[in-house]
Amino acid sequence: MQHLGTDLARAASVLRSGGLVGMPTETVYGLAANALDEVAVARIFDAKNRPHFDPLIVHLADWNDVDRVAADVPAEARALWSALGPSALTYVLPKRPEVPDLVTSGLDTVAVRIPQLELARQLIASAGVPVAAPSANPFGFVSPTTAQHVADQLADRVDYILDGGPCAVGVESTIVSWTNGRAGVLRLGGIPVEVLSDVLGYVPEVQPSSSQPTAPGMLESHYAPGKPMQLLPHGVDWSTVNRMEGVRCVPWTPGAHGLDALTTSGSCQQGAQRLFAALRDFAASSDRELWMELAPEEGLGRAINDRLRRAAHRAEG
Ligand code: AMP
Ligand code: MG
């Protein structure tokens, strides 16, 4: 039977019965299961080859459900929710005991997101359970931004893929957490830091990625296309770049160099939307290397550059 389609009721019933669903969201496609069903959650880790130390984000249909999974929600988290509503922002909050330790990798916090994509919220509401979902790709590889990407990579490891079209944001959520009463950003993502600062009244500290992360979204090497990548500074003059056979060159914007650029107009929103598909296209091509121009280091451009740096990062030794 075809297992990719637009049947919301079927997707919800798969979730209720302990199965795995490829779930569309505005950021990337998730690999979703009932967050309160430990056996179903274990299947997510197996399907992705994801190490158990990497906790999952719990997706809810509405902020009113937050108290089902989290306790002592900070006032600043509520303020961010009031300002932003459903969005590409994930809140790390003190967890309730009902959330299995497998979901949170034994941490005493739980990461919670209410996605902006209405179809995702409808799916979660009709399943009637909180939904744990990491990105629907094998661990360490590029995240999926279409239903077909999920089918290409996870195929029969997922029971149903709900097609919600291409992802509008295209990079994962921004993750915010609180320590000693102050907000910090654990992962750059779809909500720019500047937007958080406007609401909070101060600039939250952004944690650097590392090879020994406290949150695995901070892993230095991730989103990798499996072949060498070089990053060129934003604004580089491509006419001075010495191009070579087998090396794919991707400028940020079109120009006299005649190369296919990532964006048509330089918009970071468009760059983010197209980023993972571009990395995937390179991975599947016969090109041996990718030279890519960085985005401007502001707004959504910071999340794009974060993903590019990690995609280009090669473990030493
Ligand atoms: P993914 O959905 O694959 O992008 O991965 C979700 C990411 O959320 C993880 O890699 C972690 O970085 C982060 N995360 C999830 N739960 C927590 C938590 N309780 N504390 C800190 N970070 C978390
Ligand atoms: Mg991921």
Side-chain angles (χ1 to χ4, degrees):
M1 205 194 326
Q2 176 57 265
H3 76 304
L4 186 160
T6 56
D7 188 343
L8 181 76
R10 179 168 165 198
S13 120
V14 168
L15 287 176
R16 271 194 304 273
S17 59
L20 298 187
V21 169
M23 174 174 77
T25 81
E26 74 280 13
T27 59
V28 301
Y29 274 73
L31 183 62
N34 176 356
L36 304 180
D37 176 345
E38 211 160 349
V39 176
V41 172
R43 290 188 60 208
I44 295 180
F45 285 92
D46 285 350
K48 274 187 65 107
N49 267 329
R50 184 177 175 110
H52 283 202
F53 66 71
D54 195 356
L56 307 179
I57 295 173
V58 173
H59 296 74
L60 303 173
D62 193 273
W63 183 260
N64 290 332
D65 298 330
V66 123
D67 300 324
R68 285 176 74 180
V69 294
D72 304 323
V73 177
E76 284 186 352
R78 296 188 190 278
L80 285 168
W81 166 261
S82 300
L84 303 177
S87 76
L89 184 65
T90 294
Y91 305 78
V92 175
L93 304 169
K95 115 178 183 26
R96 279 201 178 279
E98 291 83 343
V99 180
D101 283 337
L102 187 58
V103 172
T104 61
S105 303
L107 297 170
D108 53 13
T109 52
V110 59
V112 176
R113 184 161 87 91
I114 294 96
Q116 187 178 34
L117 186 75
E118 199 178 350
L119 183 61
R121 295 202 309 275
Q122 283 170 346
L123 171 63
I124 300 162
S126 88
V129 292
V131 167
S135 51
N137 52 282
F139 185 70
F141 195 68
V142 180
S143 302
T145 49
T146 67
Q148 190 58 48
H149 292 163
V150 182
D152 291 346
Q153 283 188 311
L154 295 175
D156 51 1
R157 298 193 206 176
V158 48
D159 299 300
Y160 188 69
I161 301 167
L162 182 63
D163 192 348
C167 299
V169 174
V171 292
E172 295 82 351
S173 58
T174 301
I175 302 179
V176 62
S177 75
W178 281 266
T179 30
N180 304 323
R182 267 181 91 86
V185 172
L186 297 185
R187 176 176 74 186
L188 293 164
I191 296 290
V193 176
E194 294 87 335
V195 171
L196 303 181
S197 309
D198 280 351
V199 179
L200 295 169
Y202 62 92
V203 182
E205 196 187 330
V206 178
Q207 306 272 319
S209 60
S210 104
S211 56
Q212 302 228 297
T214 49
M218 297 157 77
L219 282 172
E220 270 175 324
S221 173
H222 216 72
Y223 315 102
K227 291 189 280 190
M229 280 177 66
Q230 303 268 359
L231 304 179
L232 283 75
H234 182 71
V236 64
D237 178 359
W238 281 92
S239 66
T240 66
V241 174
N242 193 2
R243 289 182 230 155
M244 279 180 281
E245 182 79 22
V247 175
R248 180 179 295 212
C249 293
V250 182
W252 177 248
T253 42
H257 41 69
L259 295 163
D260 284 337
L262 185 64
T263 71
T264 53
S265 61
S267 124
C268 286
Q269 203 188 341
Q270 190 186 43
Q273 268 167 11
R274 294 179 170 189
L275 176 68
F276 287 140
L279 293 181
R280 208 171 267 275
D281 193 67
F282 161 63
S285 76
S286 60
D287 291 331
R288 63 187 156 80
E289 201 167 322
L290 175 66
W291 292 0
M292 199 150 175
E293 181 178 343
L294 288 161
E297 196 65 40
E298 62 187 17
L300 202 47
R302 289 180 72 182
I304 295 172
N305 290 344
D306 168 80
R307 303 305 187 268
L308 282 173
R309 289 189 182 109
R310 286 195 254 175
H313 184 87
R314 294 178 85 73
E316 265 139 53

